[in-house]
Amino acid sequence: MIDTQVLASAQRLGSRALSWLHAAHRDGLGRIPDNTLIDFGDADNAYKPLGEVALATSLVLRDGVSGPADSRAARELLDGCWAQLREGDLLYERQLHHFTMTDPLETYGHFARAGYRHPPLEELLDSLSRLRASDAEEIRANRRLGVANARRVVGLDHRPDWEALARGTWLGARPEPWAVNWMTGYDITHTVFHLTDWGARPEGLPGPMRDYVRDWLPVWLDVWVEVGQWDLVAELLVVDACFGEPTTGRQGWDALAAVQHEDGLLPRDSDPVDVDGDRERVFLDHQHTAVVAVVAGDVTLARALRATAGE
């Protein structure tokens, strides 16, 4: 049984973070630069932040556990993100010219989850998925899971070997738990996210990996709370909600609630935030943590609702 105080904290944290994102985008922050071309070299700086907002808002709309105001804000944000991508044309043109790149598919998956479709892009993605080159791109193992999950969400006719993909990750090897570091911490979280489709398919996490995470997640959470890595703390709370009965209790939620600003900004770490400085810089530095807070709140509430319904 999930602690009702945890649910209240999750709802409040996620709702305030969503409000902060909505206000920032309304004020023109986080937009794709006007001179962005399909040949940009760094997707992280060009449209990854926009795709992350699309992920969070698509989950809010998918799970339907937020109130009317949050649902409306999520839809407005997602509409705005889709418009910046020229309703999918930018993704299509980038995929057409760089057919081995995976970021157009991964980004499109967030929109497809919420019903935004681009038939020419889907036809192109379906065709490319039949090439040997589509599985030859040398990317991190948990990222490969992300690509497979995006194909599943879009509905492409592609059936990967999920068990083999899972075994190839850091988490799949179940290393000594004290060997975890900042980077492998994110590897763990994203492996769980993609295998479970952000909590919608809790059975997607293989039993041995699930047991390993159950045993050590509270310990890892203690570590990252102690050092004030709030972004990773929020991701670990998402993991806790993606499968089974939550194991970490109130500690992580209480810690995040204590550092969240009144306007909803959630710092990425324990460094001071210059709220009076460059607003664009503040947004870029902390938008990912806000996105994860929205996801953490949503997935936690959705998991509780499924448990109440006996799923």
Side-chain angles (χ1 to χ4, degrees):
M1 185 70 175
I2 298 179
D3 188 334
T4 56
Q5 183 172 321
V6 166
L7 296 182
S9 296
Q11 191 281 327
R12 179 172 171 79
L13 187 88
S15 180
R16 294 174 72 183
L18 179 62
S19 177
W20 183 78
L21 288 170
H22 186 263
H25 277 259
R26 182 191 60 213
D27 294 343
L29 302 179
R31 296 186 62 83
I32 296 179
D34 293 336
N35 61 350
T36 297
L37 302 173
I38 61 171
D39 293 319
F40 53 76
D42 186 359
D44 287 358
N45 290 333
Y47 72 100
K48 183 180 178 183
L50 184 148
E52 291 172 344
V53 171
L55 161 66
T57 52
S58 75
L59 294 177
V60 169
L61 296 173
R62 179 194 73 179
D63 292 329
V65 295
S66 298
D70 285 350
S71 297
R72 183 167 58 252
R75 178 62 70 183
E76 290 174 1
L77 273 168
L78 202 52
D79 282 343
C81 292
W82 188 237
Q84 286 193 65
L85 293 175
R86 303 198 303 270
E87 298 184 338
D89 285 350
L90 187 149
L91 299 177
Y92 173 78
E93 293 167 10
R94 179 164 169 78
Q95 190 71 82
L96 183 65
H97 287 81
H98 303 284
F99 67 91
T100 62
M101 288 186 173
T102 62
D103 57 81
L105 166 63
E106 293 171 272
T107 303
Y108 180 61
H110 307 323
F111 294 96
R113 178 185 287 114
Y116 299 74
R117 312 301 297 214
H118 191 289
L121 175 57
E122 292 188 25
E123 183 178 354
L124 175 61
L125 290 169
D126 182 62
S127 177
L128 294 177
S129 70
R130 303 174 193 280
L131 301 179
R132 292 192 300 276
S134 67
D135 293 320
E137 191 78 357
E138 296 190 8
I139 57 179
R140 295 181 69 87
N142 69 83
R143 177 84 178 275
R144 197 171 292 283
L145 279 172
V147 173
N149 192 48
R151 287 173 174 164
R152 175 167 61 186
V153 170
V154 172
L156 299 178
D157 184 18
H158 180 78
R159 295 176 176 79
D161 186 337
W162 289 100
E163 290 189 7
L165 289 175
R167 286 195 302 271
T169 64
W170 194 95
L171 180 56
R174 290 173 288 153
E176 294 77 7
W178 44 261
V180 68
N181 57 34
W182 184 82
M183 180 59 71
T184 53
Y186 281 99
D187 290 341
I188 290 168
T189 62
H190 284 70
T191 295
V192 175
F193 298 161
H194 300 315
L195 283 171
T196 67
D197 189 19
W198 303 88
R201 302 168 59 94
E203 72 281 359
L205 190 66
M209 295 168 65
R210 182 173 59 248
D211 294 342
Y212 176 80
V213 173
R214 277 185 183 282
D215 287 342
W216 296 107
L217 186 61
V219 179
W220 296 329
L221 186 66
D222 284 347
V223 171
W224 300 119
V225 166
E226 182 177 346
V227 298
Q229 287 287 341
W230 308 124
D231 191 89
L232 186 49
V233 167
E235 292 215 0
L236 292 172
L237 291 177
V238 179
V239 168
D240 201 22
C242 278
F243 62 93
E245 189 75 14
T247 63
T248 59
R250 300 177 182 179
Q251 180 193 14
W253 294 105
D254 289 347
L256 292 183
V259 299
Q260 189 176 34
H261 293 204
E262 191 63 32
D263 65 355
L265 182 152
L266 189 63
R268 65 184 177 187
D269 53 37
S270 58
D271 290 343
V273 180
D274 183 11
V275 295
D276 297 320
D278 181 358
R279 289 190 67 209
E280 182 74 27
R281 184 71 264 159
V282 171
F283 176 79
L284 292 175
D285 285 347
H286 304 286
Q287 71 88 29
H288 183 267
T289 314
V291 163
V292 182
V294 173
V295 175
D298 173 78
V299 176
T300 298
L301 293 173
R303 182 63 184 160
L305 183 63
R306 285 195 296 269
T308 301
E311 292 184 18

